[in-house]
Amino acid sequence: MYRNHTCGEIRIENIGQEVLLAGWVQRVRNLGGMTFIDLRDRYGLTQLVVDDHSSEEIKNMAGTLGREFVVQARGTVRERSSKNPKMATGDVELQITGLSVLNSAATPPFTIQDDTDGGDELRMKYRYLDLRRETVRKNLELRAKMAHVVRNYLDAEHFIETETPVLIKSTPEGARDFVVPSRMNPNQFYALPQSPQLFKQLLMVAGFDRYYQIVKCFRDEDLRADRQPEFTQIDCEMSYVHQEDVLNMFEGLTKYIFKEMKGLDIVDFPRMTFAEAFEKYGNDKPDLRFGMVIQELTDLVKGNEFKLFDDAAFIGGICAPGCGEYTRKQLDALTEFIKKPQIGGTVLIYAKVNSDGTIKSSVDKYYTAEDLQNWAERLEAKPGDLLLITCGSKEKTLPVLSSLRLEMGRQCGLMDKENFKPLWVVDFPLLEWNEETQRFFAMHHPFTSPKPEDIALLETDPGKVRANAYDLVINGVEIGGGSVRIFDSALQAKMFKILGFTKEAAEDQFGFLMNAFKFGAPPHAGIAFGFDRLVSMFAGLDSIRDVIAFPKNNSGRDVMNDSPSPIAQAQLDELYLQLVKTE
Amino acid sequence: MYRNHTCGEIRIENIGQEVLLAGWVQRVRNLGGMTFIDLRDRYGLTQLVVDDHSSEEIKNMAGTLGREFVVQARGTVRERSSKNPKMATGDVELQITGLSVLNSAATPPFTIQDDTDGGDELRMKYRYLDLRRETVRKNLELRAKMAHVVRNYLDAEHFIETETPVLIKSTPEGARDFVVPSRMNPNQFYALPQSPQLFKQLLMVAGFDRYYQIVKCFRDEDLRADRQPEFTQIDCEMSYVHQEDVLNMFEGLTKYIFKEMKGLDIVDFPRMTFAEAFEKYGNDKPDLRFGMVIQELTDLVKGNEFKLFDDAAFIGGICAPGCGEYTRKQLDALTEFIKKPQIGGTVLIYAKVNSDGTIKSSVDKYYTAEDLQNWAERLEAKPGDLLLITCGSKEKTLPVLSSLRLEMGRQCGLMDKENFKPLWVVDFPLLEWNEETQRFFAMHHPFTSPKPEDIALLETDPGKVRANAYDLVINGVEIGGGSVRIFDSALQAKMFKILGFTKEAAEDQFGFLMNAFKFGAPPHAGIAFGFDRLVSMFAGLDSIRDVIAFPKNNSGRDVMNDSPSPIAQAQLDELYLQLVKTE
């Protein structure tokens, strides 16, 4: 037996007991005749004491211990003379009667502490040491607990957890697939799933009624900070449901998660159409932790000889509460902010509401005090507030105002990570026009059902068709998304046609699904949650990387084991593949 | 709302209620003025009645319904005049007041019944229809429940469920990897994991203490009936444990599964060394549902001028209880059986113990009655039993006797699928000599720890070294296997050397693991269960295919969606790959 207790569980009640612990040396303090060793495992820290009562052998061994040595210690629990109320085991210590080194340790390249001195790259290379840090391990424990909670809810609601294949058929729609050459079927390839979409729909055709899976998905995309080539989804599908049934079911799941994970009762799940979200917040995932709603000012500001506004198709603004004292420098910084290429704004007009109610703006020479009062009224500004106004085409200006709104939310401290404001965004457009390829793409995916009342528009004005598609947004982050599916093979065939598939291509790629629909497909709908993102939100993190045990970097590399890597010529030969030299 | 009840829940208490159901038409019976429709969903069957009380519209519609049509039915629950005690809903029926067809259905290519008329290939092509059959769906439900039960146990034992990467580094040791070309790292490849072995060991180095995962693994092997290119493991690892701790923990898991899934108390988990298993049962996974233990007879049979035995290094036999009346034809068939190439036997000698205790054998002319009595005594034969004896080299003869024993177990009806006899096989050899490549291979894997008392033999006689490795065998099927791991980087380096790795190759492939071991690796050990096989055993199936929602065939193909398949040239170009033509 290596141990009979963990390092986190010894308490005052255990005084006098002999216990056996094993763990890592967190710290050794040599105070003259006494040596204190903090022994660490996943469960906590226990203080070991080597003093005059200990044998010479133990004293000598204690002197050789370094950080992260793996040791086994036998000893008697005694009360500490100076207790540490910050530690769960802080009332006691272990008077050592036996000590053995199970494994030595080279000095770690960074400290194994919450506030480590290791940089990002070093910590990723030695991820197994980084994971020793309590903050990082806690994130992974949170992840495990969340999976447990999610499964409890879905199991209780009679969802059948069903594994779908990882080696599937490659389809050109959507993002880029990772592919896997088949040795037994030379010159043919599997793909790794971007989602189990088709399989879960087939499970509905199969009468499974309710399906879920916490499942790895894959996308060969150029990576951003918050993207990983492999990621995890909570993937769900239900039969004989309307959109409303799905929203209620997964509102229930979300409430359950908040309750179980954080003890929070989140009651309010408002719903907002895509159109309204775009008008009021400039994007399809509004952060409802604060107001600062976008207001159109076009009608108020035109015709005052201010060319910039007179020429603009759309003028809109927000009111930043309490920012009326912003300095010239701060305002210039905001202008710089919206001019960043990724934001794409051009101009920022401001108006400060003074404490006496008068208004000072950057365009005073074009507008009367009354004009400015009208602006303030439209934006519901109070004394001390700051109006920020910009203009251009409507499609381009609203996203600029969205970015500005989020930036002001940050600056005003309105984005408390422990304040959770969920929102269903509904009625997404079915299709998006792509200028480059001059064709429509499915905004959600090709299996999403148009709203029944919009089906006629499919022939006349496809871009106007709304979908029975929905996103769950929390604090401005898209946590989940789904749709009611097409379950009629004729409508599905029409969708493929609109998306530019020839009959042959549709048959080749999705023939088995359309065929399945001919044998009695039930109405069905589903949703998928981004599990990594959900966990990172609960962990209060901005990136998903720290809720993944072994993440990849922005080039898709695991720097710890240096993969991907070249493979042997024999492997390539077996796969009937040849490498093409890169320049 | 599509429904307010399922087809499986209406009972006598619901009489008089109006309910709304949706489901598939299982069967339509038109009895003159009345039409009975069996409506099916995942939860059961409900009988719908259309009769004189129904509107003309409903009567007409009922006449158009075909098998597997998807319908919604509104009606009033009433007591059946002739009840069906075999159906959960058999006391009641639904007097239909509203009926609508949600989707029509082409006639399915086979019947959606437990005893379907569909052949294997057809059912796989239309797997979504095959999954509609209750027997098949029940297997998948069993699988989901088993995963739930396994997680409950491991969560309660403080194992942290941790996802490890699917895109990992390719290693040449073990079976063939599936590989995934990296677009962002041209001419480099990921591999799909054959198991999360290295990652779970790193999690132990990281101090996770207890890890598990129910996880997809991949092996690009030529497929046999019971192999799939992707399969699922219950993968576990623990720190600060000896072999005994692991066996106890997972004996506990196995007992818990039996109790929760089948209400069975399985108490007895005997342990047997690999050597003993091989001596007594001729293989490393003895089926303990019956005895028929192999006995060596070499000392009893030599020196009687029977050349076959005199020339053989080893003579062994089994006693088949109650088979003393086997006919010449049956005995010839047994001889044919052991001569099959995959079994490789050469000769079968028999001796029948008559009811009066005399013995009649096929070698009577070489042996006295007393000789034969000695054989019978050694084999603990009783009147009416049949002794079956064969000979050759020991390594080749024991497996022949093993196959013969299992065949006789089948013939004697001793392999009851509901009788579960678990067994731990321990003390496996560490290494296997491969004649072809003239080198040792790791029997389990290269990270398995030799037994401490055998470490000295590594230098002198590596083939004799036993490992701290163990298999859980139930009814002759290897359900799980694992080992205590090496956690000392020097010993690990020695293992790689014995396995023929150059220092450079070991560094290239496993450098990160050996490096990790330098920073304080704890003693650790683990196990992995074949989840598919475990579920199929509980489902009473011989193959794992029917506990997998979308399995692949023996060529690794999904015949439903016809994958793998060719990919576009553009995809190949992006990956810097070129196909090599096959002949």
Side-chain angles (χ1 to χ4, degrees), chain A residues 348-374:
Chain A
L348 187 64
I349 306 299
Y350 71 86
K352 295 172 170 181
V353 186
N354 299 318
S355 55
D356 61 2
T358 61
I359 301 179
K360 164 86 190 109
S361 89
S362 52
V363 289
D364 279 354
K365 60 175 163 177
Y366 300 104
Y367 296 95
T368 65
E370 198 190 331
D371 288 335
L372 296 178
Q373 288 296 346
N374 286 337

PDB file of all heavy atoms in Angstrom, chain A residues 348-374:
ATOM      1  N   LEU A 348     -15.899  58.838 -35.496  1.00  0.00           N
ATOM      2  CA  LEU A 348     -16.640  58.751 -34.240  1.00  0.00           C
ATOM      3  C   LEU A 348     -16.976  60.163 -33.760  1.00  0.00           C
ATOM      4  O   LEU A 348     -16.086  60.989 -33.563  1.00  0.00           O
ATOM      5  CB  LEU A 348     -15.803  58.024 -33.175  1.00  0.00           C
ATOM      6  CG  LEU A 348     -16.529  57.711 -31.868  1.00  0.00           C
ATOM      7  CD1 LEU A 348     -17.680  56.738 -32.094  1.00  0.00           C
ATOM      8  CD2 LEU A 348     -15.550  57.127 -30.845  1.00  0.00           C
ATOM      9  N   ILE A 349     -18.241  60.427 -33.658  1.00  0.00           N
ATOM     10  CA  ILE A 349     -18.731  61.707 -33.142  1.00  0.00           C
ATOM     11  C   ILE A 349     -19.140  61.491 -31.694  1.00  0.00           C
ATOM     12  O   ILE A 349     -19.717  60.447 -31.375  1.00  0.00           O
ATOM     13  CB  ILE A 349     -19.986  62.155 -33.947  1.00  0.00           C
ATOM     14  CG1 ILE A 349     -19.687  62.190 -35.448  1.00  0.00           C
ATOM     15  CG2 ILE A 349     -20.526  63.489 -33.413  1.00  0.00           C
ATOM     16  CD1 ILE A 349     -18.594  63.139 -35.841  1.00  0.00           C
ATOM     17  N   TYR A 350     -18.804  62.453 -30.830  1.00  0.00           N
ATOM     18  CA  TYR A 350     -19.226  62.271 -29.447  1.00  0.00           C
ATOM     19  C   TYR A 350     -20.054  63.462 -28.987  1.00  0.00           C
ATOM     20  O   TYR A 350     -20.004  64.548 -29.580  1.00  0.00           O
ATOM     21  CB  TYR A 350     -18.030  62.086 -28.513  1.00  0.00           C
ATOM     22  CG  TYR A 350     -17.226  63.352 -28.302  1.00  0.00           C
ATOM     23  CD1 TYR A 350     -17.596  64.284 -27.312  1.00  0.00           C
ATOM     24  CD2 TYR A 350     -16.110  63.634 -29.077  1.00  0.00           C
ATOM     25  CE1 TYR A 350     -16.873  65.454 -27.133  1.00  0.00           C
ATOM     26  CE2 TYR A 350     -15.390  64.783 -28.905  1.00  0.00           C
ATOM     27  CZ  TYR A 350     -15.775  65.700 -27.935  1.00  0.00           C
ATOM     28  OH  TYR A 350     -15.077  66.861 -27.782  1.00  0.00           O
ATOM     29  N   ALA A 351     -20.817  63.249 -27.950  1.00  0.00           N
ATOM     30  CA  ALA A 351     -21.520  64.349 -27.274  1.00  0.00           C
ATOM     31  C   ALA A 351     -21.559  64.001 -25.794  1.00  0.00           C
ATOM     32  O   ALA A 351     -21.964  62.904 -25.437  1.00  0.00           O
ATOM     33  CB  ALA A 351     -22.922  64.515 -27.841  1.00  0.00           C
ATOM     34  N   LYS A 352     -21.074  64.948 -24.976  1.00  0.00           N
ATOM     35  CA  LYS A 352     -21.043  64.718 -23.534  1.00  0.00           C
ATOM     36  C   LYS A 352     -22.224  65.432 -22.888  1.00  0.00           C
ATOM     37  O   LYS A 352     -22.453  66.611 -23.148  1.00  0.00           O
ATOM     38  CB  LYS A 352     -19.770  65.296 -22.926  1.00  0.00           C
ATOM     39  CG  LYS A 352     -18.494  64.646 -23.373  1.00  0.00           C
ATOM     40  CD  LYS A 352     -17.295  65.456 -22.848  1.00  0.00           C
ATOM     41  CE  LYS A 352     -15.993  64.703 -23.057  1.00  0.00           C
ATOM     42  NZ  LYS A 352     -14.834  65.449 -22.536  1.00  0.00           N
ATOM     43  N   VAL A 353     -22.955  64.710 -22.043  1.00  0.00           N
ATOM     44  CA  VAL A 353     -24.038  65.355 -21.295  1.00  0.00           C
ATOM     45  C   VAL A 353     -23.452  65.832 -19.969  1.00  0.00           C
ATOM     46  O   VAL A 353     -23.037  65.016 -19.147  1.00  0.00           O
ATOM     47  CB  VAL A 353     -25.215  64.386 -21.057  1.00  0.00           C
ATOM     48  CG1 VAL A 353     -26.383  65.125 -20.420  1.00  0.00           C
ATOM     49  CG2 VAL A 353     -25.637  63.719 -22.363  1.00  0.00           C
ATOM     50  N   ASN A 354     -23.390  67.156 -19.817  1.00  0.00           N
ATOM     51  CA  ASN A 354     -22.796  67.712 -18.597  1.00  0.00           C
ATOM     52  C   ASN A 354     -23.731  67.522 -17.415  1.00  0.00           C
ATOM     53  O   ASN A 354     -24.917  67.206 -17.577  1.00  0.00           O
ATOM     54  CB  ASN A 354     -22.495  69.198 -18.799  1.00  0.00           C
ATOM     55  CG  ASN A 354     -21.494  69.407 -19.930  1.00  0.00           C
ATOM     56  OD1 ASN A 354     -20.514  68.658 -20.045  1.00  0.00           O
ATOM     57  ND2 ASN A 354     -21.760  70.385 -20.779  1.00  0.00           N
ATOM     58  N   SER A 355     -23.174  67.752 -16.218  1.00  0.00           N
ATOM     59  CA  SER A 355     -23.982  67.537 -15.009  1.00  0.00           C
ATOM     60  C   SER A 355     -25.172  68.504 -14.956  1.00  0.00           C
ATOM     61  O   SER A 355     -26.196  68.193 -14.362  1.00  0.00           O
ATOM     62  CB  SER A 355     -23.113  67.685 -13.756  1.00  0.00           C
ATOM     63  OG  SER A 355     -22.473  68.943 -13.790  1.00  0.00           O
ATOM     64  N   ASP A 356     -25.050  69.662 -15.621  1.00  0.00           N
ATOM     65  CA  ASP A 356     -26.179  70.602 -15.621  1.00  0.00           C
ATOM     66  C   ASP A 356     -27.164  70.304 -16.756  1.00  0.00           C
ATOM     67  O   ASP A 356     -28.095  71.063 -17.000  1.00  0.00           O
ATOM     68  CB  ASP A 356     -25.663  72.038 -15.724  1.00  0.00           C
ATOM     69  CG  ASP A 356     -24.895  72.272 -17.012  1.00  0.00           C
ATOM     70  OD1 ASP A 356     -24.803  71.318 -17.841  1.00  0.00           O
ATOM     71  OD2 ASP A 356     -24.379  73.389 -17.196  1.00  0.00           O
ATOM     72  N   GLY A 357     -26.945  69.224 -17.497  1.00  0.00           N
ATOM     73  CA  GLY A 357     -27.871  68.856 -18.557  1.00  0.00           C
ATOM     74  C   GLY A 357     -27.512  69.426 -19.914  1.00  0.00           C
ATOM     75  O   GLY A 357     -28.048  68.999 -20.931  1.00  0.00           O
ATOM     76  N   THR A 358     -26.591  70.406 -19.957  1.00  0.00           N
ATOM     77  CA  THR A 358     -26.152  70.922 -21.256  1.00  0.00           C
ATOM     78  C   THR A 358     -25.299  69.857 -21.940  1.00  0.00           C
ATOM     79  O   THR A 358     -24.780  68.959 -21.295  1.00  0.00           O
ATOM     80  CB  THR A 358     -25.325  72.212 -21.095  1.00  0.00           C
ATOM     81  OG1 THR A 358     -24.161  71.882 -20.311  1.00  0.00           O
ATOM     82  CG2 THR A 358     -26.135  73.293 -20.384  1.00  0.00           C
ATOM     83  N   ILE A 359     -25.207  70.026 -23.251  1.00  0.00           N
ATOM     84  CA  ILE A 359     -24.498  69.000 -24.021  1.00  0.00           C
ATOM     85  C   ILE A 359     -23.384  69.634 -24.825  1.00  0.00           C
ATOM     86  O   ILE A 359     -23.583  70.654 -25.495  1.00  0.00           O
ATOM     87  CB  ILE A 359     -25.466  68.248 -24.949  1.00  0.00           C
ATOM     88  CG1 ILE A 359     -26.574  67.585 -24.095  1.00  0.00           C
ATOM     89  CG2 ILE A 359     -24.721  67.196 -25.772  1.00  0.00           C
ATOM     90  CD1 ILE A 359     -27.610  66.840 -24.896  1.00  0.00           C
ATOM     91  N   LYS A 360     -22.212  68.998 -24.768  1.00  0.00           N
ATOM     92  CA  LYS A 360     -21.041  69.483 -25.521  1.00  0.00           C
ATOM     93  C   LYS A 360     -20.663  68.385 -26.502  1.00  0.00           C
ATOM     94  O   LYS A 360     -20.410  67.251 -26.106  1.00  0.00           O
ATOM     95  CB  LYS A 360     -19.914  69.738 -24.502  1.00  0.00           C
ATOM     96  CG  LYS A 360     -18.538  69.877 -25.083  1.00  0.00           C
ATOM     97  CD  LYS A 360     -18.262  71.316 -25.531  1.00  0.00           C
ATOM     98  CE  LYS A 360     -16.956  71.390 -26.331  1.00  0.00           C
ATOM     99  NZ  LYS A 360     -17.198  71.647 -27.772  1.00  0.00           N
ATOM    100  N   SER A 361     -20.669  68.759 -27.797  1.00  0.00           N
ATOM    101  CA  SER A 361     -20.366  67.713 -28.779  1.00  0.00           C
ATOM    102  C   SER A 361     -19.216  68.124 -29.688  1.00  0.00           C
ATOM    103  O   SER A 361     -18.789  69.269 -29.688  1.00  0.00           O
ATOM    104  CB  SER A 361     -21.595  67.410 -29.632  1.00  0.00           C
ATOM    105  OG  SER A 361     -21.624  68.258 -30.764  1.00  0.00           O
ATOM    106  N   SER A 362     -18.742  67.165 -30.458  1.00  0.00           N
ATOM    107  CA  SER A 362     -17.673  67.447 -31.414  1.00  0.00           C
ATOM    108  C   SER A 362     -18.225  68.053 -32.698  1.00  0.00           C
ATOM    109  O   SER A 362     -17.480  68.369 -33.604  1.00  0.00           O
ATOM    110  CB  SER A 362     -16.908  66.157 -31.727  1.00  0.00           C
ATOM    111  OG  SER A 362     -17.809  65.130 -32.118  1.00  0.00           O
ATOM    112  N   VAL A 363     -19.556  68.199 -32.769  1.00  0.00           N
ATOM    113  CA  VAL A 363     -20.156  68.771 -33.974  1.00  0.00           C
ATOM    114  C   VAL A 363     -21.083  69.934 -33.629  1.00  0.00           C
ATOM    115  O   VAL A 363     -22.096  70.166 -34.282  1.00  0.00           O
ATOM    116  CB  VAL A 363     -20.926  67.688 -34.772  1.00  0.00           C
ATOM    117  CG1 VAL A 363     -19.948  66.721 -35.426  1.00  0.00           C
ATOM    118  CG2 VAL A 363     -21.893  66.925 -33.868  1.00  0.00           C
ATOM    119  N   ASP A 364     -20.676  70.687 -32.578  1.00  0.00           N
ATOM    120  CA  ASP A 364     -21.517  71.773 -32.076  1.00  0.00           C
ATOM    121  C   ASP A 364     -21.861  72.799 -33.150  1.00  0.00           C
ATOM    122  O   ASP A 364     -22.942  73.399 -33.127  1.00  0.00           O
ATOM    123  CB  ASP A 364     -20.813  72.493 -30.902  1.00  0.00           C
ATOM    124  CG  ASP A 364     -20.986  71.713 -29.597  1.00  0.00           C
ATOM    125  OD1 ASP A 364     -21.733  70.711 -29.611  1.00  0.00           O
ATOM    126  OD2 ASP A 364     -20.365  72.104 -28.595  1.00  0.00           O
ATOM    127  N   LYS A 365     -20.945  72.984 -34.120  1.00  0.00           N
ATOM    128  CA  LYS A 365     -21.222  74.057 -35.065  1.00  0.00           C
ATOM    129  C   LYS A 365     -22.334  73.715 -36.059  1.00  0.00           C
ATOM    130  O   LYS A 365     -22.846  74.582 -36.729  1.00  0.00           O
ATOM    131  CB  LYS A 365     -19.948  74.510 -35.779  1.00  0.00           C
ATOM    132  CG  LYS A 365     -19.238  73.470 -36.583  1.00  0.00           C
ATOM    133  CD  LYS A 365     -18.060  74.145 -37.339  1.00  0.00           C
ATOM    134  CE  LYS A 365     -17.077  73.069 -37.825  1.00  0.00           C
ATOM    135  NZ  LYS A 365     -15.987  73.637 -38.601  1.00  0.00           N
ATOM    136  N   TYR A 366     -22.674  72.416 -36.146  1.00  0.00           N
ATOM    137  CA  TYR A 366     -23.761  72.042 -37.071  1.00  0.00           C
ATOM    138  C   TYR A 366     -25.101  71.895 -36.385  1.00  0.00           C
ATOM    139  O   TYR A 366     -26.127  71.902 -37.021  1.00  0.00           O
ATOM    140  CB  TYR A 366     -23.433  70.719 -37.781  1.00  0.00           C
ATOM    141  CG  TYR A 366     -22.169  70.773 -38.582  1.00  0.00           C
ATOM    142  CD1 TYR A 366     -20.998  70.183 -38.118  1.00  0.00           C
ATOM    143  CD2 TYR A 366     -22.156  71.428 -39.831  1.00  0.00           C
ATOM    144  CE1 TYR A 366     -19.837  70.220 -38.860  1.00  0.00           C
ATOM    145  CE2 TYR A 366     -20.980  71.471 -40.581  1.00  0.00           C
ATOM    146  CZ  TYR A 366     -19.824  70.870 -40.093  1.00  0.00           C
ATOM    147  OH  TYR A 366     -18.693  70.922 -40.816  1.00  0.00           O
ATOM    148  N   TYR A 367     -25.069  71.653 -35.075  1.00  0.00           N
ATOM    149  CA  TYR A 367     -26.325  71.328 -34.405  1.00  0.00           C
ATOM    150  C   TYR A 367     -26.605  72.280 -33.251  1.00  0.00           C
ATOM    151  O   TYR A 367     -25.692  72.711 -32.546  1.00  0.00           O
ATOM    152  CB  TYR A 367     -26.295  69.881 -33.904  1.00  0.00           C
ATOM    153  CG  TYR A 367     -26.200  68.906 -35.055  1.00  0.00           C
ATOM    154  CD1 TYR A 367     -24.966  68.416 -35.469  1.00  0.00           C
ATOM    155  CD2 TYR A 367     -27.353  68.514 -35.747  1.00  0.00           C
ATOM    156  CE1 TYR A 367     -24.870  67.550 -36.546  1.00  0.00           C
ATOM    157  CE2 TYR A 367     -27.271  67.644 -36.839  1.00  0.00           C
ATOM    158  CZ  TYR A 367     -26.018  67.163 -37.229  1.00  0.00           C
ATOM    159  OH  TYR A 367     -25.935  66.325 -38.294  1.00  0.00           O
ATOM    160  N   THR A 368     -27.887  72.563 -33.051  1.00  0.00           N
ATOM    161  CA  THR A 368     -28.300  73.434 -31.958  1.00  0.00           C
ATOM    162  C   THR A 368     -28.337  72.634 -30.671  1.00  0.00           C
ATOM    163  O   THR A 368     -28.322  71.404 -30.692  1.00  0.00           O
ATOM    164  CB  THR A 368     -29.716  73.982 -32.203  1.00  0.00           C
ATOM    165  OG1 THR A 368     -30.631  72.863 -32.168  1.00  0.00           O
ATOM    166  CG2 THR A 368     -29.814  74.686 -33.546  1.00  0.00           C
ATOM    167  N   ALA A 369     -28.402  73.330 -29.574  1.00  0.00           N
ATOM    168  CA  ALA A 369     -28.526  72.663 -28.272  1.00  0.00           C
ATOM    169  C   ALA A 369     -29.763  71.786 -28.259  1.00  0.00           C
ATOM    170  O   ALA A 369     -29.757  70.677 -27.705  1.00  0.00           O
ATOM    171  CB  ALA A 369     -28.599  73.698 -27.147  1.00  0.00           C
ATOM    172  N   GLU A 370     -30.813  72.246 -28.930  1.00  0.00           N
ATOM    173  CA  GLU A 370     -32.040  71.462 -28.951  1.00  0.00           C
ATOM    174  C   GLU A 370     -31.856  70.170 -29.744  1.00  0.00           C
ATOM    175  O   GLU A 370     -32.330  69.102 -29.344  1.00  0.00           O
ATOM    176  CB  GLU A 370     -33.165  72.313 -29.557  1.00  0.00           C
ATOM    177  CG  GLU A 370     -34.541  71.785 -29.232  1.00  0.00           C
ATOM    178  CD  GLU A 370     -35.625  72.493 -30.045  1.00  0.00           C
ATOM    179  OE1 GLU A 370     -35.417  73.681 -30.402  1.00  0.00           O
ATOM    180  OE2 GLU A 370     -36.643  71.846 -30.346  1.00  0.00           O
ATOM    181  N   ASP A 371     -31.153  70.294 -30.892  1.00  0.00           N
ATOM    182  CA  ASP A 371     -30.839  69.083 -31.668  1.00  0.00           C
ATOM    183  C   ASP A 371     -30.175  68.051 -30.760  1.00  0.00           C
ATOM    184  O   ASP A 371     -30.563  66.879 -30.724  1.00  0.00           O
ATOM    185  CB  ASP A 371     -29.855  69.406 -32.807  1.00  0.00           C
ATOM    186  CG  ASP A 371     -30.521  70.200 -33.940  1.00  0.00           C
ATOM    187  OD1 ASP A 371     -31.763  70.091 -34.082  1.00  0.00           O
ATOM    188  OD2 ASP A 371     -29.781  70.897 -34.652  1.00  0.00           O
ATOM    189  N   LEU A 372     -29.152  68.552 -30.041  1.00  0.00           N
ATOM    190  CA  LEU A 372     -28.384  67.621 -29.212  1.00  0.00           C
ATOM    191  C   LEU A 372     -29.256  67.026 -28.111  1.00  0.00           C
ATOM    192  O   LEU A 372     -29.117  65.845 -27.775  1.00  0.00           O
ATOM    193  CB  LEU A 372     -27.162  68.334 -28.609  1.00  0.00           C
ATOM    194  CG  LEU A 372     -26.135  68.834 -29.645  1.00  0.00           C
ATOM    195  CD1 LEU A 372     -24.995  69.576 -28.937  1.00  0.00           C
ATOM    196  CD2 LEU A 372     -25.557  67.694 -30.473  1.00  0.00           C
ATOM    197  N   GLN A 373     -30.181  67.852 -27.568  1.00  0.00           N
ATOM    198  CA  GLN A 373     -31.099  67.330 -26.548  1.00  0.00           C
ATOM    199  C   GLN A 373     -31.950  66.204 -27.129  1.00  0.00           C
ATOM    200  O   GLN A 373     -32.238  65.204 -26.456  1.00  0.00           O
ATOM    201  CB  GLN A 373     -32.014  68.449 -26.009  1.00  0.00           C
ATOM    202  CG  GLN A 373     -31.309  69.448 -25.112  1.00  0.00           C
ATOM    203  CD  GLN A 373     -30.768  68.854 -23.816  1.00  0.00           C
ATOM    204  OE1 GLN A 373     -31.136  67.749 -23.443  1.00  0.00           O
ATOM    205  NE2 GLN A 373     -29.848  69.570 -23.154  1.00  0.00           N
ATOM    206  N   ASN A 374     -32.347  66.357 -28.415  1.00  0.00           N
ATOM    207  CA  ASN A 374     -33.143  65.305 -29.050  1.00  0.00           C
ATOM    208  C   ASN A 374     -32.346  63.998 -29.158  1.00  0.00           C
ATOM    209  O   ASN A 374     -32.881  62.914 -28.960  1.00  0.00           O
ATOM    210  CB  ASN A 374     -33.597  65.744 -30.446  1.00  0.00           C
ATOM    211  CG  ASN A 374     -34.701  66.787 -30.348  1.00  0.00           C
ATOM    212  OD1 ASN A 374     -35.406  66.859 -29.330  1.00  0.00           O
ATOM    213  ND2 ASN A 374     -34.837  67.608 -31.385  1.00  0.00           N
TER     214      ASN A 374
END
